[in-house]
Amino acid sequence: MTADQLSNIFSALADPTRRAILARLALGETSVNELAAPFEMSLPAVTKHLKVLQRAGLISQSRQAQSRPCKLEAKPLQEVATFLAQYQQFWEQRLDQLDSYLLSLNLKENE
């Protein structure tokens, strides 16, 4: 994954409306109108959010007669999780070091 793709994904995920759309699509494929229903915004505004998600590779759309159902594409999310896992290990090591340090202070205090 290139840095630009990763930036596009993080940018798409930065908006709460787009995260809500992804959460809904995690339940299954649905139409644009069904995705737009819970939001207090125009259909063109929701369509703009969908285009951002599509450019980031997070959703795909197909054509079925008059409908354009949307589907979650999970692979980019797995790539983001892999990227973030590096930092999770870093922070777990730091917290383990802090825990050891605090334990040593506690032991010295109790001597």
Side-chain angles (χ1 to χ4, degrees):
M1 170 176 282
T2 67
D4 287 339
Q5 288 171 316
L6 197 56
S7 295
N8 286 340
I9 294 168
F10 279 120
S11 178
L13 294 173
D15 186 273
T17 300
R18 291 192 285 267
R19 291 192 305 269
I21 290 170
L22 290 177
R24 170 53 189 93
L25 289 174
L27 301 174
E29 189 175 289
T30 191
S31 72
V32 173
N33 286 333
E34 290 172 346
L35 284 173
F39 301 106
E40 293 183 16
M41 63 178 72
S42 67
L43 189 57
V46 172
T47 300
K48 286 182 182 181
H49 283 293
L50 294 175
K51 286 181 181 182
V52 170
L53 292 168
Q54 199 167 16
R55 274 194 303 273
L58 294 167
I59 68 167
S60 62
Q61 284 185 303
S62 60
R63 278 196 198 271
Q64 294 177 355
Q66 297 292 324
S67 178
R68 296 203 30 100
C70 298
K71 176 182 165 189
L72 177 67
E73 298 295 337
K75 186 176 181 199
L77 293 174
Q78 179 58 47
E79 292 169 358
V80 167
T82 300
F83 171 80
L84 292 174
Q86 301 167 39
Y87 297 98
Q88 180 180 354
Q89 288 177 330
F90 169 79
W91 283 110
E92 285 177 356
Q93 289 172 349
R94 289 291 184 120
L95 290 173
D96 287 345
Q97 290 172 349
L98 178 60
D99 188 45
S100 295
Y101 176 71
L102 292 174
L103 184 60
S104 71
L105 287 178
N106 193 21
L107 289 174
K108 286 180 184 177
E109 208 174 81
N110 290 334
E111 288 179 353

